[in-house]
Amino acid sequence: MTSQIYLDSYIDAGVLVSIELVNELATSHAYGRTVLAESPMTLLAQVLAVDPPSVVRLRRRNVSGFVHLAVRMRQVFDELHRGEIDGAAQLVNALLAEHPAHPYLAKEDGIWRLHHHPVDVSLLPMWVAICAEGLARMIGNGNANRLGVCDAFECERVFFDGSKNGTRRFCCTACQSRVKTAAFRLRRERRKS
Ligand SMILES: [Zn+2]
């Protein structure tokens, strides 16, 4: 079974999976609560479900490498959140240097398709390259500001900001309304005192 991540679509998949890996494997607080410890293997299988052959190839020994990747990618988002694009670029460059992509043509059902890697490459190096290249393209295309970290109290979730003007601050509407409600209460308390 060959990977379904083709070269013409992996950019979106790379950004998508980067975000999900960070949120599932390198986040201790989400939506104002402490994240309950779940099996990283189960979470990882859910994230990699975007590419079913990857789930088939996933082994327990791969988990720690993916957790490490998620932690390093969180650092990229944190740097961007602080406006430190140079720092983020250096972190992404380090990932790219460790696991460069190897574009490769594979014939499937009589059709040649361009893949990110040869089909027999190990799972972790393939995903490091896909994720790092996805993030690198965002930074390289002037879209670094569209990779966000939630501004709400006790939420570290990261997100892609697809809004028209690129000013999204929260991972979801629940976090946005939580912050609005807290600000409203604070104003009301201040008026009382
Ligand atoms: Zn949030």
Side-chain angles (χ1 to χ4, degrees), residues 28-71:
S28 56
H29 292 85
Y31 314 118
R33 294 186 295 271
T34 304
V35 174
L36 297 172
E38 263 193 73
S39 156
M41 180 76 175
T42 306
L43 296 169
L44 188 51
Q46 286 168 7
V47 174
L48 296 184
V50 67
D51 182 48
S54 288
V55 181
V56 173
R57 293 168 61 200
L58 179 62
R59 297 291 176 270
R60 206 158 284 280
R61 64 173 183 276
N62 299 132
V63 172
S64 63
F66 275 97
V67 171
H68 186 56
L69 169 64
V71 169

Short mmCIF file of all heavy atoms in Angstrom, two decimals, residues 28-71:
data_model
loop_
_atom_site.label_atom_id
_atom_site.label_comp_id
_atom_site.label_asym_id
_atom_site.label_seq_id
_atom_site.Cartn_x
_atom_site.Cartn_y
_atom_site.Cartn_z
N SER A 28 -0.87 20.81 27.09
CA SER A 28 -1.27 20.42 28.45
C SER A 28 -2.57 21.09 28.89
O SER A 28 -3.25 20.59 29.78
CB SER A 28 -0.15 20.73 29.44
OG SER A 28 0.19 22.09 29.38
N HIS A 29 -2.91 22.23 28.26
CA HIS A 29 -4.17 22.91 28.59
C HIS A 29 -4.93 23.24 27.30
O HIS A 29 -4.35 23.76 26.35
CB HIS A 29 -3.92 24.20 29.37
CG HIS A 29 -3.38 23.94 30.74
ND1 HIS A 29 -2.03 23.76 30.99
CD2 HIS A 29 -4.02 23.81 31.93
CE1 HIS A 29 -1.87 23.52 32.28
NE2 HIS A 29 -3.05 23.55 32.88
N ALA A 30 -6.23 22.94 27.33
CA ALA A 30 -7.07 23.25 26.17
C ALA A 30 -8.45 23.64 26.64
O ALA A 30 -8.98 23.03 27.59
CB ALA A 30 -7.15 22.03 25.25
N TYR A 31 -9.03 24.65 26.04
CA TYR A 31 -10.38 25.11 26.35
C TYR A 31 -10.56 25.46 27.83
O TYR A 31 -11.62 25.25 28.41
CB TYR A 31 -11.43 24.06 25.96
CG TYR A 31 -11.24 23.44 24.60
CD1 TYR A 31 -11.00 22.08 24.46
CD2 TYR A 31 -11.31 24.23 23.45
CE1 TYR A 31 -10.83 21.51 23.21
CE2 TYR A 31 -11.14 23.66 22.20
CZ TYR A 31 -10.90 22.30 22.09
OH TYR A 31 -10.74 21.74 20.86
N GLY A 32 -9.49 25.96 28.49
CA GLY A 32 -9.59 26.35 29.90
C GLY A 32 -9.44 25.20 30.88
O GLY A 32 -9.69 25.36 32.07
N ARG A 33 -9.06 24.05 30.40
CA ARG A 33 -8.93 22.88 31.28
C ARG A 33 -7.60 22.17 31.04
O ARG A 33 -7.01 22.30 29.97
CB ARG A 33 -10.06 21.87 30.99
CG ARG A 33 -11.45 22.36 31.32
CD ARG A 33 -12.46 21.24 31.13
NE ARG A 33 -12.57 20.83 29.73
CZ ARG A 33 -13.41 21.38 28.86
NH1 ARG A 33 -14.21 22.34 29.23
NH2 ARG A 33 -13.46 20.95 27.61
N THR A 34 -7.20 21.39 32.06
CA THR A 34 -6.02 20.54 31.89
C THR A 34 -6.42 19.38 30.97
O THR A 34 -7.50 18.80 31.14
CB THR A 34 -5.56 19.98 33.25
OG1 THR A 34 -5.32 21.09 34.11
CG2 THR A 34 -4.29 19.16 33.11
N VAL A 35 -5.55 19.07 30.03
CA VAL A 35 -5.85 17.97 29.10
C VAL A 35 -5.67 16.63 29.80
O VAL A 35 -4.64 16.40 30.44
CB VAL A 35 -4.92 18.06 27.87
CG1 VAL A 35 -5.11 16.85 26.96
CG2 VAL A 35 -5.17 19.34 27.10
N LEU A 36 -6.67 15.78 29.72
CA LEU A 36 -6.58 14.46 30.34
C LEU A 36 -5.62 13.59 29.52
O LEU A 36 -5.63 13.65 28.29
CB LEU A 36 -7.96 13.80 30.38
CG LEU A 36 -9.01 14.53 31.22
CD1 LEU A 36 -10.38 13.89 31.03
CD2 LEU A 36 -8.61 14.51 32.70
N ALA A 37 -4.82 12.81 30.25
CA ALA A 37 -3.83 11.97 29.57
C ALA A 37 -4.54 10.85 28.81
O ALA A 37 -5.25 10.05 29.41
CB ALA A 37 -2.86 11.40 30.59
N GLU A 38 -4.35 10.84 27.52
CA GLU A 38 -4.89 9.74 26.70
C GLU A 38 -3.73 9.02 26.05
O GLU A 38 -2.63 9.55 25.98
CB GLU A 38 -5.81 10.31 25.60
CG GLU A 38 -7.27 10.27 25.97
CD GLU A 38 -8.15 10.55 24.75
OE1 GLU A 38 -8.25 9.66 23.91
OE2 GLU A 38 -8.71 11.65 24.68
N SER A 39 -3.97 7.83 25.58
CA SER A 39 -2.91 7.07 24.93
C SER A 39 -2.39 7.82 23.70
O SER A 39 -3.15 8.08 22.77
CB SER A 39 -3.45 5.71 24.51
OG SER A 39 -2.67 5.19 23.45
N PRO A 40 -1.08 8.18 23.70
CA PRO A 40 -0.54 8.89 22.52
C PRO A 40 -0.68 8.07 21.25
O PRO A 40 -0.85 8.62 20.17
CB PRO A 40 0.94 9.11 22.87
CG PRO A 40 1.11 8.77 24.29
CD PRO A 40 -0.07 7.96 24.73
N MET A 41 -0.63 6.74 21.40
CA MET A 41 -0.76 5.86 20.22
C MET A 41 -2.14 6.05 19.57
O MET A 41 -2.25 6.16 18.35
CB MET A 41 -0.57 4.41 20.69
CG MET A 41 -0.68 3.39 19.60
SD MET A 41 0.78 3.32 18.56
CE MET A 41 0.37 1.94 17.49
N THR A 42 -3.18 6.11 20.41
CA THR A 42 -4.55 6.29 19.90
C THR A 42 -4.69 7.66 19.24
O THR A 42 -5.24 7.78 18.14
CB THR A 42 -5.56 6.18 21.07
OG1 THR A 42 -5.33 4.95 21.74
CG2 THR A 42 -6.99 6.23 20.56
N LEU A 43 -4.16 8.69 19.92
CA LEU A 43 -4.25 10.05 19.39
C LEU A 43 -3.51 10.16 18.06
O LEU A 43 -3.99 10.77 17.11
CB LEU A 43 -3.67 11.06 20.40
CG LEU A 43 -4.43 11.17 21.72
CD1 LEU A 43 -3.64 11.98 22.73
CD2 LEU A 43 -5.80 11.81 21.49
N LEU A 44 -2.33 9.54 18.03
CA LEU A 44 -1.50 9.59 16.82
C LEU A 44 -2.22 8.92 15.65
O LEU A 44 -2.21 9.43 14.52
CB LEU A 44 -0.16 8.92 17.11
CG LEU A 44 0.94 9.01 16.07
CD1 LEU A 44 1.16 10.44 15.62
CD2 LEU A 44 2.22 8.42 16.63
N ALA A 45 -2.85 7.78 15.92
CA ALA A 45 -3.58 7.07 14.86
C ALA A 45 -4.71 7.94 14.32
O ALA A 45 -4.98 7.94 13.11
CB ALA A 45 -4.12 5.75 15.40
N GLN A 46 -5.35 8.71 15.22
CA GLN A 46 -6.43 9.60 14.77
C GLN A 46 -5.89 10.70 13.86
O GLN A 46 -6.49 11.04 12.84
CB GLN A 46 -7.13 10.23 15.99
CG GLN A 46 -8.03 9.24 16.74
CD GLN A 46 -8.48 9.78 18.09
OE1 GLN A 46 -8.23 10.93 18.43
NE2 GLN A 46 -9.12 8.93 18.85
N VAL A 47 -4.74 11.26 14.25
CA VAL A 47 -4.15 12.35 13.45
C VAL A 47 -3.72 11.82 12.07
O VAL A 47 -3.98 12.44 11.04
CB VAL A 47 -2.95 12.98 14.18
CG1 VAL A 47 -2.26 14.01 13.28
CG2 VAL A 47 -3.39 13.63 15.49
N LEU A 48 -3.08 10.66 12.07
CA LEU A 48 -2.55 10.11 10.82
C LEU A 48 -3.63 9.48 9.93
O LEU A 48 -3.34 9.04 8.82
CB LEU A 48 -1.44 9.08 11.11
CG LEU A 48 -0.20 9.63 11.81
CD1 LEU A 48 0.85 8.54 11.96
CD2 LEU A 48 0.41 10.82 11.04
N ALA A 49 -4.86 9.47 10.43
CA ALA A 49 -5.96 8.90 9.64
C ALA A 49 -6.16 9.66 8.32
O ALA A 49 -6.79 9.15 7.40
CB ALA A 49 -7.25 8.92 10.44
N VAL A 50 -5.58 10.87 8.22
CA VAL A 50 -5.62 11.61 6.96
C VAL A 50 -4.94 10.82 5.84
O VAL A 50 -5.21 11.01 4.67
CB VAL A 50 -4.97 13.01 7.16
CG1 VAL A 50 -3.48 12.91 7.42
CG2 VAL A 50 -5.22 13.92 5.96
N ASP A 51 -4.04 9.93 6.24
CA ASP A 51 -3.32 9.08 5.28
C ASP A 51 -3.41 7.63 5.78
O ASP A 51 -2.50 7.16 6.49
CB ASP A 51 -1.86 9.53 5.19
CG ASP A 51 -1.08 8.71 4.17
OD1 ASP A 51 -1.58 8.53 3.05
OD2 ASP A 51 0.04 8.25 4.51
N PRO A 52 -4.47 6.90 5.44
CA PRO A 52 -4.70 5.56 5.99
C PRO A 52 -3.49 4.62 5.93
O PRO A 52 -3.25 3.87 6.90
CB PRO A 52 -5.88 5.03 5.16
CG PRO A 52 -6.63 6.28 4.79
CD PRO A 52 -5.58 7.32 4.55
N PRO A 53 -2.68 4.63 4.85
CA PRO A 53 -1.50 3.73 4.86
C PRO A 53 -0.54 4.01 6.01
O PRO A 53 0.14 3.11 6.51
CB PRO A 53 -0.83 4.01 3.50
CG PRO A 53 -1.93 4.53 2.64
CD PRO A 53 -2.82 5.32 3.55
N SER A 54 -0.49 5.29 6.45
CA SER A 54 0.38 5.63 7.58
C SER A 54 -0.12 4.97 8.87
O SER A 54 0.68 4.55 9.71
CB SER A 54 0.43 7.15 7.79
OG SER A 54 1.18 7.77 6.77
N VAL A 55 -1.44 4.88 9.02
CA VAL A 55 -2.00 4.25 10.22
C VAL A 55 -1.66 2.76 10.23
O VAL A 55 -1.32 2.18 11.26
CB VAL A 55 -3.53 4.46 10.28
CG1 VAL A 55 -4.11 3.81 11.54
CG2 VAL A 55 -3.87 5.94 10.25
N VAL A 56 -1.71 2.16 9.04
CA VAL A 56 -1.38 0.73 8.92
C VAL A 56 0.07 0.49 9.33
O VAL A 56 0.40 -0.51 9.99
CB VAL A 56 -1.63 0.24 7.46
CG1 VAL A 56 -1.14 -1.18 7.27
CG2 VAL A 56 -3.11 0.35 7.11
N ARG A 57 0.95 1.43 8.96
CA ARG A 57 2.38 1.25 9.24
C ARG A 57 2.78 1.70 10.65
O ARG A 57 3.90 1.46 11.08
CB ARG A 57 3.19 2.04 8.21
CG ARG A 57 3.07 1.47 6.80
CD ARG A 57 3.64 2.44 5.79
NE ARG A 57 5.05 2.69 6.03
CZ ARG A 57 5.70 3.74 5.57
NH1 ARG A 57 5.07 4.65 4.87
NH2 ARG A 57 6.98 3.90 5.82
N LEU A 58 1.89 2.39 11.35
CA LEU A 58 2.21 2.95 12.67
C LEU A 58 2.49 1.84 13.69
O LEU A 58 1.73 0.88 13.80
CB LEU A 58 1.04 3.82 13.14
CG LEU A 58 1.19 4.48 14.51
CD1 LEU A 58 2.37 5.44 14.54
CD2 LEU A 58 -0.11 5.22 14.86
N ARG A 59 3.62 1.97 14.39
CA ARG A 59 3.98 1.02 15.45
C ARG A 59 4.21 1.79 16.74
O ARG A 59 4.55 2.96 16.72
CB ARG A 59 5.27 0.26 15.08
CG ARG A 59 5.15 -0.61 13.84
CD ARG A 59 4.22 -1.81 14.07
NE ARG A 59 4.03 -2.59 12.84
CZ ARG A 59 3.06 -2.37 11.95
NH1 ARG A 59 2.20 -1.39 12.15
NH2 ARG A 59 2.94 -3.12 10.88
N ARG A 60 4.06 1.08 17.86
CA ARG A 60 4.23 1.72 19.16
C ARG A 60 5.61 2.38 19.28
O ARG A 60 5.75 3.41 19.93
CB ARG A 60 4.02 0.67 20.27
CG ARG A 60 3.56 1.24 21.59
CD ARG A 60 2.88 0.19 22.44
NE ARG A 60 1.54 -0.12 22.02
CZ ARG A 60 0.47 0.63 22.30
NH1 ARG A 60 0.59 1.73 23.00
NH2 ARG A 60 -0.73 0.28 21.88
N ARG A 61 6.62 1.80 18.67
CA ARG A 61 7.97 2.36 18.77
C ARG A 61 8.09 3.73 18.08
O ARG A 61 9.05 4.46 18.30
CB ARG A 61 9.01 1.39 18.19
CG ARG A 61 8.86 1.14 16.72
CD ARG A 61 10.02 0.31 16.15
NE ARG A 61 9.87 0.14 14.70
CZ ARG A 61 9.14 -0.80 14.12
NH1 ARG A 61 8.50 -1.68 14.86
NH2 ARG A 61 9.05 -0.87 12.80
N ASN A 62 7.13 4.07 17.21
CA ASN A 62 7.15 5.36 16.51
C ASN A 62 6.66 6.51 17.39
O ASN A 62 6.90 7.67 17.09
CB ASN A 62 6.25 5.33 15.26
CG ASN A 62 6.66 4.30 14.24
OD1 ASN A 62 5.84 3.55 13.75
ND2 ASN A 62 7.94 4.26 13.91
N VAL A 63 5.93 6.17 18.47
CA VAL A 63 5.19 7.20 19.21
C VAL A 63 6.11 8.28 19.78
O VAL A 63 5.85 9.49 19.63
CB VAL A 63 4.33 6.56 20.33
CG1 VAL A 63 3.72 7.63 21.21
CG2 VAL A 63 3.23 5.71 19.70
N SER A 64 7.20 7.89 20.45
CA SER A 64 8.05 8.89 21.11
C SER A 64 8.62 9.87 20.10
O SER A 64 8.75 11.07 20.38
CB SER A 64 9.15 8.21 21.92
OG SER A 64 9.99 7.49 21.06
N GLY A 65 8.95 9.39 18.91
CA GLY A 65 9.49 10.27 17.86
C GLY A 65 8.46 11.31 17.43
O GLY A 65 8.79 12.49 17.21
N PHE A 66 7.19 10.90 17.32
CA PHE A 66 6.13 11.84 16.93
C PHE A 66 5.86 12.85 18.05
O PHE A 66 5.57 14.01 17.78
CB PHE A 66 4.85 11.08 16.56
CG PHE A 66 4.82 10.61 15.13
CD1 PHE A 66 5.18 9.32 14.80
CD2 PHE A 66 4.44 11.48 14.10
CE1 PHE A 66 5.17 8.89 13.47
CE2 PHE A 66 4.42 11.06 12.78
CZ PHE A 66 4.80 9.76 12.47
N VAL A 67 5.94 12.38 19.31
CA VAL A 67 5.74 13.31 20.44
C VAL A 67 6.85 14.36 20.41
O VAL A 67 6.60 15.56 20.57
CB VAL A 67 5.72 12.55 21.79
CG1 VAL A 67 5.73 13.54 22.96
CG2 VAL A 67 4.50 11.64 21.87
N HIS A 68 8.08 13.92 20.17
CA HIS A 68 9.21 14.85 20.10
C HIS A 68 9.01 15.85 18.95
O HIS A 68 9.26 17.04 19.11
CB HIS A 68 10.50 14.05 19.90
CG HIS A 68 11.73 14.88 19.95
ND1 HIS A 68 12.06 15.69 21.03
CD2 HIS A 68 12.73 15.06 19.05
CE1 HIS A 68 13.19 16.32 20.79
NE2 HIS A 68 13.61 15.96 19.59
N LEU A 69 8.55 15.35 17.81
CA LEU A 69 8.26 16.24 16.67
C LEU A 69 7.21 17.28 17.05
O LEU A 69 7.34 18.47 16.75
CB LEU A 69 7.78 15.41 15.47
CG LEU A 69 7.19 16.20 14.28
CD1 LEU A 69 8.25 17.10 13.64
CD2 LEU A 69 6.61 15.24 13.23
N ALA A 70 6.15 16.83 17.75
CA ALA A 70 5.07 17.74 18.16
C ALA A 70 5.60 18.83 19.09
O ALA A 70 5.24 20.01 18.96
CB ALA A 70 3.95 16.95 18.83
N VAL A 71 6.47 18.44 20.01
CA VAL A 71 7.05 19.42 20.96
C VAL A 71 7.87 20.45 20.20
O VAL A 71 7.79 21.66 20.45
CB VAL A 71 7.92 18.69 22.02
CG1 VAL A 71 8.74 19.69 22.83
CG2 VAL A 71 7.03 17.85 22.93
#
